[in-house]
Amino acid sequence: MRRTTSTMLRRVLSASVAAVLVTGGLLAVAPAASADVTYVPEKWNGKVVYLSQACHDRGDTVCHDNTGCSGFSENRNSYLLAMSTIRETGTSHPNLLERGYKVVRGDGLTRQNIDSSNRVGADVHVPLHSNAISKACESGFSASRYGTHAMYVSTAGRECSQKLLSAVGPSSPGTNDARQYRTDLGELNQTNAVACYLEQEFHVWNRGVYWMWNRDAWSWRIAAGIDAYLGYP
């Protein structure tokens, strides 16, 4: 049921602005320590959702970025998608705050986000990413080469991934929507919360990029998938 309440935002930022570095010719950002932002609804349903922004730290201490067609930035898009999922109000579908969820948005290194998710006692942990099948923008392939993927490692994560896939997949332009079992990702293996890892679409084809840029039209689907998995508390 939609909760049309005003929301209170509480920022939990304990470090200074991140430094910008250039390594190997690629833009990389050193995130602030323990950089979480917590969003609290006026009427809390008792559940905590952790949205983990993309950070490809590659074992070092900076967030490297993946880029796609037309200058698409996976890291930037992950932040904007998280914000839209949390509080976008331009559609007739409720966002996470309107559904009554406390949301913690993690924008640190992968290890920091895992530790933060465990510390806040999240009920579900959802990394927000986009996918790639090549290093450069592609053309000439059919839509069946692309689509929405949801990854999991646990039995509960499998169910959560299916809910996300069922909610988001029909909206994305790629037709190869898939649920995938993965054992090599820390954000699936090391969180106390049930983890379901969303690859919203592929950023190496223009239709996928344009759809992802129009996030405010469909981000409610992520909220709907999470709500369905948690049983509409």
Side-chain angles (χ1 to χ4, degrees):
M1 179 176 66
R2 178 166 184 166
R3 299 176 176 88
T4 55
T5 60
S6 61
T7 56
M8 175 179 62
L9 277 67
R10 182 176 46 144
R11 296 185 63 85
V12 183
L13 294 173
S14 59
S16 59
V17 176
V20 176
L21 308 173
V22 176
T23 34
L26 297 176
L27 183 66
V29 177
S34 303
D36 284 340
V37 186
T38 300
Y39 303 83
V40 182
E42 188 174 279
K43 186 176 181 180
W44 184 33
N45 63 20
K47 299 293 185 180
V48 178
V49 174
Y50 195 95
L51 296 183
S52 181
Q53 291 177 204
C55 171
H56 305 89
D57 48 77
R58 303 173 188 171
D60 53 30
T61 58
V62 296
C63 286
H64 302 271
D65 200 7
N66 291 330
T67 58
C69 298
S70 304
F72 180 89
S73 162
E74 180 178 359
N75 290 2
R76 175 65 177 168
N77 178 72
S78 179
Y79 159 71
L80 293 172
L81 179 59
M83 293 302 298
S84 185
T85 303
I86 293 166
R87 61 184 186 184
E88 172 56 36
T89 58
T91 74
S92 60
H93 303 279
N95 56 46
L96 283 173
L97 284 177
E98 290 172 330
R99 293 170 188 267
Y101 292 99
K102 180 189 292 185
V103 185
V104 181
R105 176 173 60 81
D107 60 357
L109 297 168
T110 302
R111 180 72 257 169
Q112 290 174 326
N113 286 0
I114 292 169
D115 291 343
S116 294
S117 176
N118 292 342
R119 184 174 61 252
V120 302
D123 293 281
V124 65
H125 181 98
V126 183
L128 299 174
H129 287 252
S130 57
N131 218 337
I133 203 168
S134 66
K135 292 184 178 180
C137 188
E138 300 183 336
S139 61
F141 294 98
S142 71
S144 63
R145 182 172 171 84
Y146 315 103
T148 300
H149 291 180
M151 300 183 291
Y152 68 95
V153 70
S154 67
T155 300
R158 184 177 187 271
E159 180 184 351
C160 179
S161 291
Q162 184 58 56
K163 296 295 186 185
L164 280 179
L165 191 67
S166 296
V168 178
S171 177
S172 68
T175 58
N176 184 25
D177 299 334
R179 186 180 58 199
Q180 297 179 332
Y181 175 73
R182 293 282 296 270
T183 61
D184 59 333
L185 297 171
E187 288 196 85
L188 293 180
N189 287 305
Q190 298 168 18
T191 57
N192 296 334
V194 173
C196 37
Y197 191 120
L198 182 66
E199 298 274 14
Q200 59 199 280
E201 243 294 355
F202 285 74
H203 56 247
V204 294
W205 71 314
N206 277 310
R207 285 183 61 194
V209 164
Y210 297 152
W211 176 77
M212 287 188 283
W213 277 340
N214 193 33
R215 67 191 71 82
D216 288 350
W218 60 267
S219 62
W220 63 268
R221 292 175 177 271
I222 297 175
I226 292 170
D227 209 13
Y229 169 69
L230 290 174
Y232 307 102

